[in-house]
Amino acid sequence: MSTRPLASVSVDLDNLWAYLKTHGDPAWRDHPSYLDTAVPRLLEVLDGRRLTFFVVGADAVREDGAKAVAAIAAAGHEVANHSFGHEPWLHRYSRDRLEEELSRTEEAITAAGVPRPTGFRGPGYSVTRDLVELLAERGYAYDASTLPTWIGPLARAYHNRTVRAGAGGEGLGELFGGFSRVLAPVHAYRWRTCGSSALVELPVTTMPLLRTPIHGSYLLQLHEASPRLARAYFRTALRLCRARGVAPSLLLHPTDVLGGAEAPGMEFFPGMAAPGTRKVAWLDWVLAALREYFDVVGTGEYVRRSDVRRTRPVTRLDGGR
Ligand SMILES: [Zn+2]
């Protein structure tokens, strides 16, 4: 048995329509999809590893989405819940609507022949008390929605500046996480909820101390600026994680393997000028580097195997209400 510490990798299976929707592009209503291209490529890059895919319910109910969900599970990966409608302002939903988002996606995933999900990640990096309570009630083992970084507020400012009128999320204070996220823990912890169940929170890892992002899309942007810088930056992050006992949770997206022509309408999105082959080669390097320092598993397996479930729960929920 290896004695190396654990790291987790997950993919948020955000589809083309979801990006167009958040961007305020009315073309989203036809639900354009790139899953037929993205999913086989992701499965190839991630081959041999059992990781986690957070799936959007509105995709899983469609034929190509259900096919993708089944293929992901058949390759040995965990399928988790990434909401139904993928609206980054999920924290503004009523408790009933939030529950519907969870249950409709659970139904779509099980209808595709895959076990009921036990992990959730919201689309806007926000957590509310309602969400934590609902997940605990519904038997979830973990939430993975938080991103403890100061880039969150910057991303929000960028979104508010570039989004078209009528997208529905303009000016929302909690979109992409508030400033309080900067002080949120980087490591996994437990929420104290009314029930006996203890929901684990597994934040998307940011660079220890600096709190700058280290997720796939951010690394890709650095790589486009300077491959040498990107490699040094990621290795520094991995060494800092090892030194400080942080188990990195690396977040990937389909756009990390797709070229611009494969995601028409997403020219506004950073990194879309890079060809898919270059992105795949870079992601291969990132995953190989991660494996030099850690044993790499999915987020659900990480929560099961780590000692986070024996830690003292935290009470404070500062998300949204
Ligand atoms: Zn997403």
Side-chain angles (χ1 to χ4, degrees):
M1 275 289 281
S2 162
T3 53
R4 289 187 309 169
L6 293 175
S8 59
V9 173
S10 58
V11 179
D12 283 2
L13 203 61
D14 298 349
N15 206 346
L16 178 54
W17 63 264
Y19 285 101
L20 299 182
K21 184 178 181 181
T22 306
H23 193 58
D25 185 335
W28 82 266
R29 287 177 213 284
D30 298 330
H31 281 82
S33 171
Y34 51 43
L35 296 185
D36 281 345
T37 313
V39 172
R41 195 171 300 165
L42 282 165
L43 292 179
E44 203 184 320
V45 179
L46 304 175
D47 187 34
R49 305 168 177 95
R50 288 165 176 265
L51 308 174
T52 303
F53 281 72
F54 288 88
V55 170
V56 176
D59 281 314
V61 290
R62 289 149 37 117
E63 206 184 324
D64 64 332
K67 207 179 89 194
V69 168
I72 288 162
H77 301 291
E78 172 192 10
V79 174
N81 189 335
H82 193 36
S83 84
F84 190 86
H86 201 275
E87 296 197 324
W89 39 95
L90 199 72
H91 56 278
R92 286 280 177 104
Y93 284 12
S94 69
R95 195 180 172 102
D96 285 349
R97 189 157 173 216
L98 202 51
E99 186 159 28
E100 206 182 293
E101 284 283 313
L102 298 175
S103 64
R104 287 176 77 192
T105 305
E106 290 159 12
E107 282 159 25
I109 288 172
T110 50
V114 172
R116 198 165 181 271
T118 60
F120 176 81
R121 177 176 289 138
Y125 301 124
S126 284
V127 184
T128 60
R129 181 178 295 277
D130 276 348
L131 177 67
V132 169
E133 286 176 2
L134 281 170
L135 291 174
E137 269 171 41
R138 301 181 74 77
Y140 279 73
Y142 69 101
D143 172 79
S145 300
T146 55
L147 178 72
T149 178
W150 48 267
I151 298 284
L154 297 184
R156 182 175 62 240
Y158 174 80
H159 172 84
N160 288 342
R161 213 171 51 239
T162 59
V163 75
R164 298 183 198 178
E170 303 93 328
L172 296 181
E174 287 295 318
L175 191 59
F176 301 116
F179 277 95
S180 58
R181 293 298 172 279
V182 180
L183 300 172
V186 178
H187 55 80
Y189 53 99
R190 292 198 306 163
W191 295 118
R192 187 188 299 282
T193 49
C194 319
S196 56
S197 146
L199 188 81
V200 169
E201 180 66 42
L202 179 62
V204 174
T205 305
T206 48
M207 175 89 88
L209 308 175
L210 290 176
R211 296 296 177 98
T212 48
I214 55 168
H215 55 267
S217 317
Y218 189 81
L219 294 174
L220 180 69
Q221 281 181 65
L222 275 188
H223 184 258
E224 287 306 292
S226 160
R228 235 180 100 189
L229 173 72
R231 285 193 291 267
Y233 177 81
F234 191 54
R235 281 202 183 280
T236 302
L238 295 176
R239 287 194 192 109
L240 270 176
C241 284
R242 276 290 294 253
R244 299 184 65 84
V246 173
S249 182
L250 181 70
L251 168 61
L252 305 175
H253 287 91
T255 48
D256 296 339
V257 297
L258 294 177
E262 292 162 324
M266 277 190 68
E267 293 75 20
F268 64 91
F269 196 75
M272 290 319 287
T277 45
R278 190 157 81 214
K279 290 184 173 187
V280 167
W282 168 236
L283 187 55
D284 266 336
W285 184 90
V286 166
L287 291 168
L290 185 63
R291 291 177 91 191
E292 279 177 37
Y293 297 82
F294 297 94
D295 273 346
V296 179
V297 297
T299 44
E301 193 181 341
Y302 173 76
V303 168
R304 270 195 305 280
R305 284 171 56 179
S306 78
D307 55 8
V308 60
R309 289 198 294 182
R310 289 190 292 277
T311 58
R312 250 183 79 216
V314 299
T315 18
R316 195 168 141 66
L317 285 172
D318 58 359
R321 51 177 64 199

